[in-house]
Amino acid sequence: QVQLVESGGGLVQAGGSLRLSCAASGRTFSSIAMGWFRQAPGKEREFVSTIGASGVTTLYAESVKGRFTISRENAKNTVTLQMNSLKPEDTAVYYCAARSAVAVATRSSSYNYWGQGTQVTVSS
């Protein structure tokens, strides 16, 4: 079992930055891959980024590539999503997710555990 708690969401103007954090507990963090997903009103949940258990491998959605950076600190059981050059279309609830495997994955169905979500709102 893994418990996930996100933090760092908020309201920011277009072009600004936010840093989301996800604290994990309940299982050896260094053996699980992590991901970030988001869901905007009226839309399906979509993949944002993922990082492998070792932190070496990362993947990004095309819509955020070059603007967002995912990282993890296994000693502190945390994963972070640094979001720069934010756009109004980035507005969504952002979810941290964990999967019982070391490899990255982009499908939400590949993840076993989810946080409660944190709201990110980007004003134009």
Side-chain angles (χ1 to χ4, degrees):
Q1 195 77 1
V2 177
Q3 292 79 43
L4 303 172
V5 178
E6 302 100 333
S7 61
L11 173 65
V12 65
Q13 288 188 333
S17 299
L18 281 176
R19 186 178 180 90
L20 304 184
S21 293
C22 176
S25 62
R27 184 169 173 168
T28 304
F29 186 71
S30 60
S31 66
I32 58 175
M34 301 294 295
W36 287 96
F37 291 77
R38 66 187 182 186
Q39 188 167 18
K43 295 187 178 181
E44 293 187 354
R45 189 171 298 188
E46 66 173 0
F47 165 74
V48 175
S49 182
T50 179
I51 186 167
S54 68
V56 172
T57 303
T58 59
L59 293 175
Y60 296 92
E62 285 298 322
S63 59
V64 307
K65 199 173 291 184
R67 301 188 296 122
F68 291 11
T69 302
I70 191 171
S71 61
R72 65 188 295 159
E73 191 166 357
N74 286 348
K76 295 186 177 181
N77 286 13
T78 58
V79 61
T80 298
L81 186 68
Q82 177 66 42
M83 306 186 295
N84 298 329
S85 302
L86 283 162
K87 304 175 182 180
E89 50 264 45
D90 294 318
T91 295
V93 177
Y94 283 70
Y95 296 91
C96 174
R99 63 189 301 257
S100 302
V102 299
V104 297
T106 61
R107 294 183 177 182
S108 60
S109 58
S110 298
Y111 289 81
N112 310 96
Y113 308 100
W114 293 84
Q116 81 287 353
T118 185
Q119 177 71 46
V120 171
T121 303
V122 184
S123 63
S124 58

